[in-house]
């Protein structure tokens, strides 16, 4: 038995026949397509020249049936009983190898950037980024010695894809300094095969590399000019004394609740001097989501996106007061088998005053009634105490007094909801940073006052925490030590 080692240098789209293909294309009657007939002729030429040089290593090119089936049979999950969804079946028909695509003229793109009445064929072909791709598979026949040519022993060693943008994807990557890849084969003997992948391409000369970089710079420059021509130079600016706030938010998850099948209902309350466009929706409801166990808690992952566009306009009455920021109120509800809902918790969230990414986890609570009857009613009938006005979570919008008392209002802490907010702010005052100070008394100063107020609150909270820790430390000391130190003083 010869040693089981083989080395092959494979070029792009170079065809190396396997033992199965050699046996299949021996007879001309097995040829059904022009490609099969071409392979039959090439195999006969190889036999006349002394046979093929490769033994276990072979390739499937972009035009082989294996490549089409491999792209079509990709699974979305790792479940053995996966059923392809409607979208997966439709997307499986999208061919990402349109070699006959023609470049579209810039004038036609300018005249038709948006397709108002798309056809079904247009939607099917443009639902994903349909970049033409050429694929090649380097395979290995890992069957027992003397029994080559069986399909069950064919394994993919490397997948190479090249798209129209010139991006080359090699999976798995070149071995380099890493160890060899391993494949364990189930058969008569549990054999372990090791293989390495190396880049055997000729290195580019410095002159050719410089010429290529020059071509890329010219191409990117022309493409940038083309995009500038599409976008234009006009950019919508806000009026002086106006702040535009964009919030791209996401309700990520809810965790720690008593029942399953959760959904979140939310709305945004706008204080004085705040407004929104007529088309802007300030409320929404997520989908109903089943929970999954994660550690000691049951978590429902919503991943529900929402978008807010709000305007703050400075008024004469708001110059001396700090601006109030919009508040997002939400309630978490659960759905039982009979499609009856229960209130699981209430919460509120003040939209962040600083731009950037904010990950916030907001605890919730719900009102409760004393006694076993209330819990039985909640479990069997689905009813539970609710807030008539959800703004009662903070200060109700109808409250006009000086003090708000919640004495006697029984509640219990429930779970929490996680939000992810991407906040953007636009204001003409941001461009006036180099102007005079007296021209800067606008939104920026009010925003600064709000941040100062929040910093004062944070300092007070830190002082209270330090004071509480000192009291706990004093209570943990022995009484005789405390009395001795007091007498010494």
């Amino acid at each position: 038995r010869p040693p089981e080692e083989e080395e092959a240098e494979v070029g792009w789209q170079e065809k190396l026949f396997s033992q199965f293909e050699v046996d299949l294309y021996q007879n001309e009657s097995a040829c059904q397509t022009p490609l099969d007939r071409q392979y039959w002729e090439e195999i006969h030429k190889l036999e006349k020249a002394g046979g093929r040089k490769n033994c276990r290593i072979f390739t499937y090119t972009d035009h082989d049936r294996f490549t089409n089936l491999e792209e079509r049979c990709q699974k979305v999950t790792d479940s053995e009983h996966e059923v392809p969804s409607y979208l997966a079946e439709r997307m499986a028909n999208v061919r990402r190898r349109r070699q006959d695509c023609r470049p579209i003229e810039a004038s036609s793109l300018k005249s038709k950037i948006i397709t108002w009445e798309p056809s079904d064929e247009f939607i099917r072909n443009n639902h994903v980024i349909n970049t033409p791709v050429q694929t090649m598979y380097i395979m290995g026949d890992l069957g027992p010695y003397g029994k080559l040519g069986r399909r069950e022993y064919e394994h993919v060693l490397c997948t190479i894809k090249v798209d129209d943008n010139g991006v080359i994807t090699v999976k798995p990557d070149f071995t380099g300094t890493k160890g060899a890849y391993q494949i364990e084969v189930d058969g008569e003997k549990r054999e372990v095969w090791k293989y390495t992948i190396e880049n055997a391409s000729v290195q580019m000369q410095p002159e050719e590399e410089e010429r290529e970089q020059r071509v890329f710079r010219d191409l990117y420059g022309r493409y940038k000019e083309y995009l500038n021509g599409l976008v234009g130079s006009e950019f919508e600016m806000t009026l002086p004394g106006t702040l535009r706030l964009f919030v791209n938010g996401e309700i990520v998850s809810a965790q720690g609740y008593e029942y399953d099948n959760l959904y979140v209902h939310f709305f945004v309350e706008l204080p004085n001097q705040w407004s929104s466009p007529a088309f802007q929706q300030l409320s929404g409801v997520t989908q109903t989501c089943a929970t999954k166990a994660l550690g000691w808690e049951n978590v429902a992952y919503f991943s529900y996106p929402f978008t807010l566009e709000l305007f703050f306009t400075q008024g004469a009455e708001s110059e001396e007061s700090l601006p109030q920021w919009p508040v997002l109120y939400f309630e978490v509800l659960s759905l039982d088998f009979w499609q009856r809902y229960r209130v699981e918790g209430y919460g509120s969230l003040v939209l962040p005053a600083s731009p950037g990414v904010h990950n916030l986890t907001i605890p919730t609570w719900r009102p409760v009634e004393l006694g076993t009857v209330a819990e039985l009613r909640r479990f069997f009938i689905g009813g539970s105490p609710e807030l008539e006005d959800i703004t009662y979570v903070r200060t109700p919008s109808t409250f006009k007094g000086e003090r708000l008392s919640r004495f006697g209002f029984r509640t219990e802490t429930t779970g929490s909801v996680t939000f992810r907010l991407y906040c953007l702010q636009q204001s003409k005052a941001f461009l006036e940073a180099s102007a005079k100070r007296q021209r800067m008394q606008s939104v920026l100063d009010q925003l600064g006052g709000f941040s100062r107020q929040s910093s004062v609150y944070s300092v007070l909270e830190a002082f209270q925490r330090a004071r509480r820790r000192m009291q706990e430390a004093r209570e943990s000391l022995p009484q005789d030590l405390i009395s001795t130190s007091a007498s010494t003083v």
Side-chain angles (χ1 to χ4, degrees), residues 306-345:
F306 62 91
T307 303
L308 300 174
E309 181 180 359
L310 308 175
F311 293 91
F312 172 77
T313 304
Q314 181 184 8
E317 66 277 3
S318 64
E319 292 182 357
E320 301 298 332
S321 61
L322 295 174
Q324 300 294 324
W325 281 79
V327 181
L328 188 147
Y329 294 94
F330 63 93
E331 58 177 337
V332 183
L333 303 103
S334 62
L335 207 64
D336 64 1
F337 177 77
W338 301 103
Q339 302 300 310
R340 296 172 302 198
Y341 72 90
R342 311 180 189 88
V343 174
E344 297 292 335

Side-chain angles (χ1 to χ4, degrees), residues 235-252:
F235 187 72
E236 182 181 0
M237 287 295 297
T238 59
L239 297 176
T242 302
L243 172 70
R244 174 183 288 178
L245 175 63
F246 292 95
V247 179
N248 293 324
E250 177 188 359
I251 302 178
V252 181

Side-chain angles (χ1 to χ4, degrees), residues 144-204:
Y145 178 72
K147 296 181 181 180
L148 301 181
R150 295 186 181 182
R151 280 296 180 91
E152 61 267 21
Y153 292 114
E154 292 184 2
H155 293 266
V156 179
L157 302 181
C158 182
T159 304
I160 305 174
K161 295 183 179 181
V162 179
D163 60 17
D164 260 15
N165 299 325
V167 178
I168 303 175
T169 305
V170 180
K171 184 179 180 180
D173 199 0
F174 298 116
T175 308
T177 57
K178 299 179 294 184
Y181 298 107
Q182 294 185 2
I183 298 179
E184 186 174 344
V185 181
D186 295 332
E188 300 174 358
K189 299 179 180 179
R190 298 183 66 87
E191 297 179 338
V192 177
W193 295 82
K194 295 183 178 182
Y195 68 97
T196 58
I197 307 172
E198 297 180 2
N199 184 11
S201 303
V202 180
Q203 294 293 330
M204 184 183 297

